[in-house]
């Protein structure tokens, strides 16, 4: 069963985040990790529109798809991703959710 990782990043320290914020900097450095293992980016952008709710909008958002839960966790344990994660967490408030691609109401 495929899984989607949804990541919201609100920068707090531009100096700690690689790349320009206008180019979704906190996520640029992780780009080479996406294909490992079997991943893809359906979305990776700072261009988004709120349709509901009143919470402050994060700058960039990303949706990554992984073939399995184990594959998603494997990327999080990758030494290259651990280094990127430390930088991102030091310079942002981030929310990262793993969502199974299914419907519990179908």
């Amino acid at each position: 069963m495929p899984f989607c990782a949804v990541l919201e990043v609100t920068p707090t320290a531009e100096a700690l985040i690689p790349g320009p914020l206008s180019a979704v900097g906190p996520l640029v450095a992780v780009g080479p990790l996406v294909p490992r293992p079997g991943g893809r980016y359906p979305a990776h952008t700072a261009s988004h529109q709120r349709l509901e709710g009143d919470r402050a909008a994060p700058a960039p958002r990303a949706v990554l798809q992984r073939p399995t839960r184990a594959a998603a966790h494997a990327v999080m344990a990758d030494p290259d991703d651990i280094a990127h994660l430390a930088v991102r967490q030091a310079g942002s408030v981030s929310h990262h959710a793993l969502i199974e691609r299914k419907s519990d109401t179908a």
Side-chain angles (χ1 to χ4, degrees):
M1 176 71 60
F3 281 78
C4 292
V6 179
L7 183 63
E8 299 178 359
V9 180
T10 303
T12 58
E14 185 173 353
L16 295 176
I17 300 172
L21 294 178
S22 62
V24 293
L27 303 175
V28 169
V30 79
L33 294 173
V34 172
R36 297 187 246 168
R40 65 182 194 90
Y41 260 135
H44 174 216
T45 182
S47 300
H48 47 78
Q49 177 185 17
R50 175 184 317 287
L51 296 177
E52 186 176 350
D54 57 5
R55 174 172 85 159
R61 292 186 182 191
V63 178
L64 298 94
Q65 186 172 321
R66 298 282 173 209
T68 64
R69 180 188 309 268
H73 285 278
V75 171
M76 296 292 292
D78 183 293
D80 291 336
D81 190 63
I82 290 171
H84 169 76
L85 178 65
V87 171
R88 181 173 51 77
Q89 288 179 335
S92 70
V93 173
S94 298
H95 300 279
H96 192 171
L98 187 60
I99 303 166
E100 189 170 3
R101 227 179 109 197
K102 68 175 188 172
S103 175
D104 289 335
T105 60

